[in-house]
Amino acid sequence: MKKLKLYCVIIGNALNRRQSLFSFMFKRKERYTDGVKWKFLEHKGPVFAPPYEPLPSNVKFYYDGKHMKLSPQAEEVATFFAKMLDHEYTTKDIFRKNFFKDWKKEMTSEERSKITDLKKCNFTEMSDYFKAQAEARKSKTKEDKLKIKEENERMLQEYGFCVMDNHKERIANFRIEPPGLFRGRGDHPKMGMLKRRIRPEDIIINCSKDSKHPVPPPGRKWKEVRHDNKVTWLVSWTENIQGSIKYIMLNPSSRIKGEKDWQKYETARRLKKCVDRIRNQYREDWKSKEMRIRQRAVALYFIDKLALRAGNEKEEGETADTVGCCSLRVEHIKLYPENDGQEFVVEFDFLGKDSIRYYNKVPVEKRVFKNLQLFMENKEPDDDLFDRLNTSILNKHLQELMDGLTAKVFRTYNASITLQQQLKELTNVEENIPAKILSYNRANRAVAILCNHQRAPPKTFEKSMQNLQTKIDAKRDQLADAKRELKSAKADAKVRRDEKSKKYVSKAVQRIEEQLMKLEVQATDREENKQIALGTSKLNYLDPRISVAWCKKMGIPIEKIYNKTQREKFAWAIDMAEEDYEF
DNA sequence: GAATGGACTTAGTACCATAGGT
DNA sequence: ACCTATGGTACTAAGTCCATTC
């Protein structure tokens, strides 16, 4: 009786917690309609990068073959370069030029007058010193490593959490970005520039008036303390490379992020209800008398069919030259009236977000093809394909078609609906768990391919594939042996009327067969995944309730699909979705 | 309607702890 | 018990989209 009671209390607590989580979510919506994000916010402020520690005097810098003692400021920047010496980009002209220019700004006038050529700088002693340090760190004793771990944990406990409206929440990034050399992605015009050290005087603190305000380091001041409850960030500062603002915000597991995430998928589900209408509409618009409407309609077709990003304009020379749908240029597509037996093929070849290449050959409808020919008439390769269109025009149009609709909703919608369809198509309740998981990963993969989520093939890919193959071969041999053994055991059983060893061996055969299967599945999965990153779509595009429902239907433990962090992020969905959930 | 600033989501990669094999 | 491939995570860059200002 006592035990039962205790059990009820525990369950009761769990239920209360869940209910409160959700009633809280719903209530909020009613409570704050005017953009208010919280009523109470308290935190400890950011953790700054550790101060620069000058090099020991035996680690020398040489200019033009001669030893030269650098001022601390100049030395610090020099170490940034030294740490990157093994990277290919320190050989790039732009990187070196940007670095040298910014480095000179940190030098004393004396240093500046002496050091005039980067090629004459010798950083190798510094570089070797840091390599040795990294080595030393790796080979530290268990106790030392434990100490570091404990210290990290202490920092996390002290600075890694905040209180927002009665909830203790995890902070995503409580450490200020340390100084260093900027390395953008792709061909970035600012690579190599000095990312300066952030001081308390650069920091804006956001918290509620009635909270215990974070305290700046001794003798220092914050730039500002404000109490803006219309935003979700706790700390901000302006970064010096692009002049943009950086923020400290909450972890994806937090209420405020979870709610927003949920909202995102609800918007995508609303699109599901009216996507047919919208598709009919843009097909009609391909015939419009107005060029701007035709362009809008063709762009939307690409966004819908190919899950392209919106493509905002970018300031030339400030960032790498990348494009999205609305910013496509004539040079990014090729038209083939006929290609490999298909009619009206468009070949896309451009660099998208993060300078990831998008390459695709797709047959399109005749009207789209004719329109594209029209848009390209009398244009140079570097002219805009959609010269009468930009993201603002497109999104205004989308807003009229559905409340809250923007270009990126199509990516979310198409990703999620693809997962749902693929899961239906690929999985079979009868199969065993590894086979089901392979199917899940394949469905996930279909989405990643749609969204063009790529990764550099792991450096150890070939080797690890080989290792796996060796294992598979070994397992095959083992299976063959076991089968032979089973045969003789069967014969034995007949003669001696002893079923025991036969049963035992047959169990072993079964076990080995399963192991072999698992390995083979693993090999297939890995091979197919060579250049594809599943994480991004899983984290940002797939309605988690689809996966949760699928797990329930297929009898798969959720842990097989989502790791701990992911389960925390998707806690709302794990609680919410039933077996019959439909996106 | 163009430019700018601001807030927030989405993105790939480097690094590190650790699981799982020897 | 030791070693190493792998998964998980931290990091921070690079997008989207909206509001504001001129």
Side-chain angles (χ1 to χ4, degrees), chain A residues 340-356:
Chain A
D340 289 338
Q342 288 178 311
E343 275 189 310
F344 310 121
V345 172
V346 183
E347 182 183 50
F348 292 82
D349 193 351
F350 62 89
L351 297 182
K353 182 177 178 179
D354 293 315
S355 292
I356 296 291

Side-chain angles (χ1 to χ4, degrees), chain A residues 256-268:
Chain A
I256 208 154
K257 294 286 184 192
E259 230 172 63
K260 199 77 187 300
D261 209 32
W262 175 44
Q263 220 178 72
K264 173 180 78 185
Y265 292 112
E266 288 306 300
T267 307

Side-chain angles (χ1 to χ4, degrees), chain A residues 463-476:
Chain A
K463 208 172 124 208
S464 89
M465 274 319 273
Q466 262 172 24
N467 288 349
L468 200 52
Q469 193 54 51
T470 336
K471 270 194 214 164
I472 289 173
D473 293 342
K475 199 50 86 179
R476 285 219 176 101

Side-chain angles (χ1 to χ4, degrees), chain A residues 148-182:
Chain A
I148 294 168
K149 206 178 163 188
E150 276 168 0
E151 174 60 13
N152 282 337
E153 183 58 27
R154 200 185 62 74
M155 291 294 272
L156 175 67
Q157 289 307 321
E158 179 161 6
Y159 294 98
F161 294 85
C162 74
V163 177
M164 185 178 272
D165 290 354
N166 303 318
H167 288 261
K168 185 175 171 182
E169 303 271 31
R170 179 87 190 266
I171 297 169
N173 54 324
F174 57 90
R175 286 173 206 278
I176 300 278
E177 296 172 18
L181 301 184
F182 176 80

